[in-house]
mmCIF file of all heavy atoms in Angstrom:
data_model
loop_
_atom_site.group_PDB
_atom_site.id
_atom_site.type_symbol
_atom_site.label_atom_id
_atom_site.label_comp_id
_atom_site.label_asym_id
_atom_site.label_seq_id
_atom_site.Cartn_x
_atom_site.Cartn_y
_atom_site.Cartn_z
ATOM 1 N N LYS A 562 0.837 -1.205 0.000
ATOM 2 C CA LYS A 562 0.000 0.000 0.000
ATOM 3 C C LYS A 562 0.877 1.263 0.000
ATOM 4 O O LYS A 562 2.032 1.234 0.419
ATOM 5 C CB LYS A 562 -0.907 0.018 1.234
ATOM 6 C CG LYS A 562 -1.766 -1.228 1.419
ATOM 7 C CD LYS A 562 -2.886 -1.305 0.400
ATOM 8 C CE LYS A 562 -3.816 -2.482 0.709
ATOM 9 N NZ LYS A 562 -4.897 -2.614 -0.275
ATOM 10 N N PHE A 563 0.279 2.370 -0.453
ATOM 11 C CA PHE A 563 0.908 3.698 -0.421
ATOM 12 C C PHE A 563 2.270 3.707 -1.134
ATOM 13 O O PHE A 563 3.210 4.402 -0.731
ATOM 14 C CB PHE A 563 1.087 4.200 1.025
ATOM 15 C CG PHE A 563 -0.176 4.153 1.839
ATOM 16 C CD1 PHE A 563 -0.272 3.331 2.953
ATOM 17 C CD2 PHE A 563 -1.277 4.921 1.474
ATOM 18 C CE1 PHE A 563 -1.440 3.282 3.703
ATOM 19 C CE2 PHE A 563 -2.445 4.889 2.223
ATOM 20 C CZ PHE A 563 -2.534 4.067 3.331
ATOM 21 N N GLY A 564 2.387 2.927 -2.186
ATOM 22 C CA GLY A 564 3.625 2.912 -2.953
ATOM 23 C C GLY A 564 4.718 2.025 -2.381
ATOM 24 O O GLY A 564 5.813 1.929 -2.959
ATOM 25 N N ALA A 565 4.470 1.357 -1.264
ATOM 26 C CA ALA A 565 5.463 0.451 -0.681
ATOM 27 C C ALA A 565 5.520 -0.837 -1.509
ATOM 28 O O ALA A 565 4.562 -1.180 -2.201
ATOM 29 C CB ALA A 565 5.094 0.118 0.758
ATOM 30 N N PRO A 566 6.643 -1.557 -1.462
ATOM 31 C CA PRO A 566 6.733 -2.814 -2.216
ATOM 32 C C PRO A 566 5.807 -3.880 -1.647
ATOM 33 O O PRO A 566 5.579 -3.925 -0.437
ATOM 34 C CB PRO A 566 8.200 -3.220 -2.048
ATOM 35 C CG PRO A 566 8.644 -2.549 -0.784
ATOM 36 C CD PRO A 566 7.888 -1.251 -0.727
ATOM 37 N N GLU A 567 5.275 -4.729 -2.501
ATOM 38 C CA GLU A 567 4.439 -5.847 -2.067
ATOM 39 C C GLU A 567 5.360 -6.954 -1.564
ATOM 40 O O GLU A 567 6.043 -7.610 -2.346
ATOM 41 C CB GLU A 567 3.576 -6.354 -3.224
ATOM 42 C CG GLU A 567 2.642 -7.492 -2.833
ATOM 43 C CD GLU A 567 1.824 -7.995 -4.011
ATOM 44 O OE1 GLU A 567 1.463 -7.171 -4.885
ATOM 45 O OE2 GLU A 567 1.551 -9.209 -4.058
ATOM 46 N N MET A 568 5.372 -7.186 -0.245
ATOM 47 C CA MET A 568 6.347 -8.100 0.354
ATOM 48 C C MET A 568 5.739 -9.397 0.870
ATOM 49 O O MET A 568 6.467 -10.288 1.316
ATOM 50 C CB MET A 568 7.096 -7.389 1.488
ATOM 51 C CG MET A 568 7.859 -6.154 1.030
ATOM 52 S SD MET A 568 8.822 -5.397 2.357
ATOM 53 C CE MET A 568 10.121 -6.620 2.553
ATOM 54 N N GLY A 569 4.410 -9.532 0.864
ATOM 55 C CA GLY A 569 3.773 -10.772 1.299
ATOM 56 C C GLY A 569 4.154 -11.159 2.717
ATOM 57 O O GLY A 569 4.093 -10.333 3.643
ATOM 58 N N VAL A 570 4.599 -12.402 2.899
ATOM 59 C CA VAL A 570 4.908 -12.894 4.247
ATOM 60 C C VAL A 570 6.084 -12.135 4.865
ATOM 61 O O VAL A 570 6.156 -11.990 6.091
ATOM 62 C CB VAL A 570 5.191 -14.409 4.251
ATOM 63 C CG1 VAL A 570 3.951 -15.191 3.885
ATOM 64 C CG2 VAL A 570 6.342 -14.762 3.325
ATOM 65 N N ARG A 571 7.004 -11.647 4.034
ATOM 66 C CA ARG A 571 8.124 -10.872 4.579
ATOM 67 C C ARG A 571 7.622 -9.573 5.213
ATOM 68 O O ARG A 571 8.153 -9.121 6.228
ATOM 69 C CB ARG A 571 9.134 -10.559 3.478
ATOM 70 C CG ARG A 571 9.958 -11.771 3.019
ATOM 71 C CD ARG A 571 11.138 -11.331 2.164
ATOM 72 N NE ARG A 571 11.949 -12.460 1.728
ATOM 73 C CZ ARG A 571 11.855 -13.033 0.534
ATOM 74 N NH1 ARG A 571 10.956 -12.589 -0.341
ATOM 75 N NH2 ARG A 571 12.635 -14.055 0.215
ATOM 76 N N GLY A 572 6.596 -8.969 4.623
ATOM 77 C CA GLY A 572 6.009 -7.753 5.194
ATOM 78 C C GLY A 572 5.408 -8.011 6.561
ATOM 79 O O GLY A 572 5.561 -7.210 7.493
ATOM 80 N N ALA A 573 4.719 -9.175 6.705
ATOM 81 C CA ALA A 573 4.145 -9.545 8.006
ATOM 82 C C ALA A 573 5.245 -9.745 9.039
ATOM 83 O O ALA A 573 5.112 -9.343 10.204
ATOM 84 C CB ALA A 573 3.310 -10.813 7.868
ATOM 85 N N ALA A 574 6.355 -10.361 8.628
ATOM 86 C CA ALA A 574 7.473 -10.602 9.549
ATOM 87 C C ALA A 574 8.116 -9.295 9.999
ATOM 88 O O ALA A 574 8.472 -9.129 11.171
ATOM 89 C CB ALA A 574 8.513 -11.498 8.878
ATOM 90 N N ILE A 575 8.260 -8.341 9.081
ATOM 91 C CA ILE A 575 8.845 -7.039 9.434
ATOM 92 C C ILE A 575 7.959 -6.322 10.452
ATOM 93 O O ILE A 575 8.443 -5.704 11.408
ATOM 94 C CB ILE A 575 9.049 -6.176 8.171
ATOM 95 C CG1 ILE A 575 10.180 -6.759 7.312
ATOM 96 C CG2 ILE A 575 9.368 -4.722 8.539
ATOM 97 C CD1 ILE A 575 10.315 -6.121 5.941
ATOM 98 N N GLY A 576 6.643 -6.400 10.269
ATOM 99 C CA GLY A 576 5.724 -5.780 11.227
ATOM 100 C C GLY A 576 5.876 -6.360 12.620
ATOM 101 O O GLY A 576 5.913 -5.629 13.622
ATOM 102 N N THR A 577 5.986 -7.680 12.706
ATOM 103 C CA THR A 577 6.153 -8.339 14.003
ATOM 104 C C THR A 577 7.487 -7.973 14.641
ATOM 105 O O THR A 577 7.572 -7.698 15.847
ATOM 106 C CB THR A 577 6.051 -9.866 13.846
ATOM 107 O OG1 THR A 577 4.778 -10.188 13.259
ATOM 108 C CG2 THR A 577 6.163 -10.565 15.194
ATOM 109 N N LEU A 578 8.556 -7.944 13.843
ATOM 110 C CA LEU A 578 9.880 -7.604 14.359
ATOM 111 C C LEU A 578 9.902 -6.177 14.919
ATOM 112 O O LEU A 578 10.430 -5.937 16.020
ATOM 113 C CB LEU A 578 10.931 -7.756 13.257
ATOM 114 C CG LEU A 578 12.370 -7.345 13.605
ATOM 115 C CD1 LEU A 578 12.905 -8.145 14.782
ATOM 116 C CD2 LEU A 578 13.276 -7.488 12.386
ATOM 117 N N ALA A 579 9.329 -5.244 14.188
ATOM 118 C CA ALA A 579 9.296 -3.853 14.657
ATOM 119 C C ALA A 579 8.526 -3.739 15.971
ATOM 120 O O ALA A 579 8.938 -3.015 16.893
ATOM 121 C CB ALA A 579 8.654 -2.966 13.591
ATOM 122 N N ALA A 580 7.419 -4.481 16.077
ATOM 123 C CA ALA A 580 6.620 -4.445 17.304
ATOM 124 C C ALA A 580 7.397 -5.017 18.483
ATOM 125 O O ALA A 580 7.356 -4.469 19.593
ATOM 126 C CB ALA A 580 5.321 -5.233 17.093
ATOM 127 N N ARG A 581 8.117 -6.104 18.266
ATOM 128 C CA ARG A 581 8.885 -6.730 19.349
ATOM 129 C C ARG A 581 10.004 -5.812 19.849
ATOM 130 O O ARG A 581 10.254 -5.727 21.062
ATOM 131 C CB ARG A 581 9.480 -8.057 18.873
ATOM 132 C CG ARG A 581 8.466 -9.125 18.522
ATOM 133 C CD ARG A 581 7.739 -9.623 19.746
ATOM 134 N NE ARG A 581 6.797 -10.685 19.415
ATOM 135 C CZ ARG A 581 5.526 -10.706 19.764
ATOM 136 N NH1 ARG A 581 5.010 -9.701 20.450
ATOM 137 N NH2 ARG A 581 4.752 -11.725 19.446
ATOM 138 N N ILE A 582 10.686 -5.144 18.932
ATOM 139 C CA ILE A 582 11.760 -4.224 19.333
ATOM 140 C C ILE A 582 11.187 -3.069 20.146
ATOM 141 O O ILE A 582 11.749 -2.670 21.180
ATOM 142 C CB ILE A 582 12.516 -3.701 18.096
ATOM 143 C CG1 ILE A 582 13.298 -4.853 17.445
ATOM 144 C CG2 ILE A 582 13.462 -2.568 18.474
ATOM 145 C CD1 ILE A 582 13.911 -4.499 16.100
ATOM 146 N N LEU A 583 10.053 -2.536 19.707
ATOM 147 C CA LEU A 583 9.419 -1.434 20.431
ATOM 148 C C LEU A 583 8.997 -1.869 21.830
ATOM 149 O O LEU A 583 9.152 -1.110 22.805
ATOM 150 C CB LEU A 583 8.213 -0.928 19.640
ATOM 151 C CG LEU A 583 7.483 0.288 20.212
ATOM 152 C CD1 LEU A 583 8.429 1.481 20.343
ATOM 153 C CD2 LEU A 583 6.281 0.652 19.335
ATOM 154 N N GLU A 584 8.469 -3.082 21.970
ATOM 155 C CA GLU A 584 8.101 -3.615 23.287
ATOM 156 C C GLU A 584 9.280 -3.574 24.242
ATOM 157 O O GLU A 584 9.158 -3.127 25.390
ATOM 158 C CB GLU A 584 7.648 -5.082 23.158
ATOM 159 C CG GLU A 584 6.242 -5.296 22.689
ATOM 160 C CD GLU A 584 5.914 -6.778 22.549
ATOM 161 O OE1 GLU A 584 6.842 -7.604 22.505
ATOM 162 O OE2 GLU A 584 4.719 -7.099 22.470
ATOM 163 N N LEU A 585 10.417 -4.067 23.786
ATOM 164 C CA LEU A 585 11.598 -4.134 24.647
ATOM 165 C C LEU A 585 12.061 -2.746 25.067
ATOM 166 O O LEU A 585 12.395 -2.523 26.240
ATOM 167 C CB LEU A 585 12.734 -4.877 23.931
ATOM 168 C CG LEU A 585 14.041 -5.013 24.720
ATOM 169 C CD1 LEU A 585 13.821 -5.733 26.042
ATOM 170 C CD2 LEU A 585 15.097 -5.742 23.888
ATOM 171 N N ILE A 586 12.069 -1.811 24.141
ATOM 172 C CA ILE A 586 12.497 -0.437 24.454
ATOM 173 C C ILE A 586 11.610 0.164 25.543
ATOM 174 O O ILE A 586 12.092 0.767 26.511
ATOM 175 C CB ILE A 586 12.482 0.438 23.184
ATOM 176 C CG1 ILE A 586 13.584 -0.024 22.221
ATOM 177 C CG2 ILE A 586 12.666 1.917 23.541
ATOM 178 C CD1 ILE A 586 13.498 0.623 20.849
ATOM 179 N N ILE A 587 10.292 -0.022 25.408
ATOM 180 C CA ILE A 587 9.354 0.575 26.369
ATOM 181 C C ILE A 587 9.523 -0.033 27.761
ATOM 182 O O ILE A 587 9.535 0.680 28.768
ATOM 183 C CB ILE A 587 7.899 0.424 25.874
ATOM 184 C CG1 ILE A 587 7.680 1.233 24.594
ATOM 185 C CG2 ILE A 587 6.920 0.905 26.954
ATOM 186 C CD1 ILE A 587 6.324 1.002 23.944
ATOM 187 N N VAL A 588 9.648 -1.371 27.840
ATOM 188 C CA VAL A 588 9.752 -2.001 29.160
ATOM 189 C C VAL A 588 11.062 -1.619 29.846
ATOM 190 O O VAL A 588 11.106 -1.419 31.071
ATOM 191 C CB VAL A 588 9.580 -3.535 29.065
ATOM 192 C CG1 VAL A 588 10.792 -4.219 28.487
ATOM 193 C CG2 VAL A 588 9.271 -4.130 30.439
ATOM 194 N N ILE A 589 12.141 -1.462 29.084
ATOM 195 C CA ILE A 589 13.415 -1.027 29.676
ATOM 196 C C ILE A 589 13.295 0.396 30.204
ATOM 197 O O ILE A 589 13.755 0.702 31.316
ATOM 198 C CB ILE A 589 14.552 -1.146 28.638
ATOM 199 C CG1 ILE A 589 14.893 -2.617 28.395
ATOM 200 C CG2 ILE A 589 15.799 -0.403 29.116
ATOM 201 C CD1 ILE A 589 15.883 -2.850 27.272
ATOM 202 N N LEU A 590 12.658 1.265 29.434
ATOM 203 C CA LEU A 590 12.480 2.649 29.882
ATOM 204 C C LEU A 590 11.607 2.706 31.132
ATOM 205 O O LEU A 590 11.862 3.507 32.050
ATOM 206 C CB LEU A 590 11.851 3.486 28.755
ATOM 207 C CG LEU A 590 12.757 3.761 27.548
ATOM 208 C CD1 LEU A 590 11.963 4.473 26.441
ATOM 209 C CD2 LEU A 590 13.967 4.597 27.944
ATOM 210 N N TYR A 591 10.580 1.862 31.197
ATOM 211 C CA TYR A 591 9.717 1.843 32.382
ATOM 212 C C TYR A 591 10.496 1.421 33.613
ATOM 213 O O TYR A 591 10.400 2.063 34.672
ATOM 214 C CB TYR A 591 8.538 0.896 32.159
ATOM 215 C CG TYR A 591 7.609 0.835 33.353
ATOM 216 C CD1 TYR A 591 6.579 1.757 33.496
ATOM 217 C CD2 TYR A 591 7.783 -0.123 34.356
ATOM 218 C CE1 TYR A 591 5.744 1.731 34.600
ATOM 219 C CE2 TYR A 591 6.950 -0.156 35.463
ATOM 220 C CZ TYR A 591 5.933 0.767 35.585
ATOM 221 O OH TYR A 591 5.120 0.746 36.688
ATOM 222 N N LEU A 592 11.264 0.351 33.499
ATOM 223 C CA LEU A 592 12.048 -0.124 34.641
ATOM 224 C C LEU A 592 13.098 0.897 35.067
ATOM 225 O O LEU A 592 13.400 1.033 36.260
ATOM 226 C CB LEU A 592 12.723 -1.456 34.292
ATOM 227 C CG LEU A 592 11.815 -2.695 34.329
ATOM 228 C CD1 LEU A 592 12.459 -3.869 33.612
ATOM 229 C CD2 LEU A 592 11.472 -3.066 35.768
ATOM 230 N N ALA A 593 13.632 1.611 34.105
ATOM 231 C CA ALA A 593 14.701 2.563 34.416
ATOM 232 C C ALA A 593 14.184 3.846 35.062
ATOM 233 O O ALA A 593 14.823 4.396 35.967
ATOM 234 C CB ALA A 593 15.480 2.905 33.146
ATOM 235 N N PHE A 594 13.008 4.311 34.636
ATOM 236 C CA PHE A 594 12.585 5.648 35.052
ATOM 237 C C PHE A 594 11.239 5.719 35.782
ATOM 238 O O PHE A 594 10.957 6.711 36.454
ATOM 239 C CB PHE A 594 12.501 6.575 33.824
ATOM 240 C CG PHE A 594 13.800 6.715 33.098
ATOM 241 C CD1 PHE A 594 13.986 6.127 31.863
ATOM 242 C CD2 PHE A 594 14.867 7.426 33.651
ATOM 243 C CE1 PHE A 594 15.191 6.241 31.181
ATOM 244 C CE2 PHE A 594 16.069 7.556 32.982
ATOM 245 C CZ PHE A 594 16.243 6.961 31.748
ATOM 246 N N LYS A 595 10.400 4.676 35.680
ATOM 247 C CA LYS A 595 9.041 4.791 36.212
ATOM 248 C C LYS A 595 8.751 3.857 37.381
ATOM 249 O O LYS A 595 8.000 4.206 38.295
ATOM 250 C CB LYS A 595 8.052 4.511 35.063
ATOM 251 C CG LYS A 595 6.613 4.878 35.366
ATOM 252 C CD LYS A 595 6.388 6.380 35.324
ATOM 253 C CE LYS A 595 4.906 6.701 35.503
ATOM 254 N NZ LYS A 595 4.676 8.159 35.582
ATOM 255 N N ASP A 596 9.332 2.682 37.377
ATOM 256 C CA ASP A 596 9.034 1.677 38.400
ATOM 257 C C ASP A 596 9.439 2.155 39.793
ATOM 258 O O ASP A 596 10.541 2.676 39.984
ATOM 259 C CB ASP A 596 9.765 0.373 38.068
ATOM 260 C CG ASP A 596 9.623 -0.655 39.174
ATOM 261 O OD1 ASP A 596 8.483 -1.058 39.459
ATOM 262 O OD2 ASP A 596 10.655 -1.030 39.760
ATOM 263 N N LYS A 597 8.535 1.967 40.769
ATOM 264 C CA LYS A 597 8.790 2.421 42.147
ATOM 265 C C LYS A 597 8.904 1.254 43.136
ATOM 266 O O LYS A 597 9.102 1.487 44.332
ATOM 267 C CB LYS A 597 7.643 3.347 42.612
ATOM 268 C CG LYS A 597 7.418 4.570 41.729
ATOM 269 C CD LYS A 597 8.642 5.470 41.675
ATOM 270 C CE LYS A 597 8.373 6.714 40.827
ATOM 271 N NZ LYS A 597 9.601 7.523 40.637
ATOM 272 N N LYS A 598 8.775 0.023 42.647
ATOM 273 C CA LYS A 598 8.798 -1.130 43.556
ATOM 274 C C LYS A 598 10.153 -1.823 43.584
ATOM 275 O O LYS A 598 10.657 -2.191 44.645
ATOM 276 C CB LYS A 598 7.720 -2.137 43.147
ATOM 277 C CG LYS A 598 6.298 -1.629 43.304
ATOM 278 C CD LYS A 598 5.285 -2.671 42.817
ATOM 279 C CE LYS A 598 3.858 -2.168 42.970
ATOM 280 N NZ LYS A 598 2.860 -3.140 42.441
ATOM 281 N N LEU A 599 10.748 -2.019 42.423
ATOM 282 C CA LEU A 599 11.967 -2.810 42.337
ATOM 283 C C LEU A 599 13.251 -1.978 42.359
ATOM 284 O O LEU A 599 14.273 -2.414 42.866
ATOM 285 C CB LEU A 599 11.945 -3.658 41.050
ATOM 286 C CG LEU A 599 10.927 -4.790 41.018
ATOM 287 C CD1 LEU A 599 10.734 -5.312 39.599
ATOM 288 C CD2 LEU A 599 11.355 -5.924 41.932
#
């Protein structure tokens, strides 16, 4: 879509990979700056 290449299953894999990396970044930032218990 929107002029991007048609990647099929590779496109689905890239979406999952990006989501997993973002998850890790957020949880590390939470533990470093927001958590008040540990």
Side-chain angles (χ1 to χ4, degrees):
K562 306 288 186 181
F563 308 116
E567 182 181 326
M568 300 184 71
V570 294
R571 288 193 179 99
I575 290 171
T577 302
L578 176 59
R581 296 291 182 232
I582 292 171
L583 184 59
E584 280 178 343
L585 180 58
I586 292 170
I587 295 173
V588 74
I589 288 173
L590 290 174
Y591 180 86
L592 283 164
F594 301 108
K595 193 75 175 175
D596 173 62
K597 303 299 182 187
K598 294 177 180 177
L599 291 165

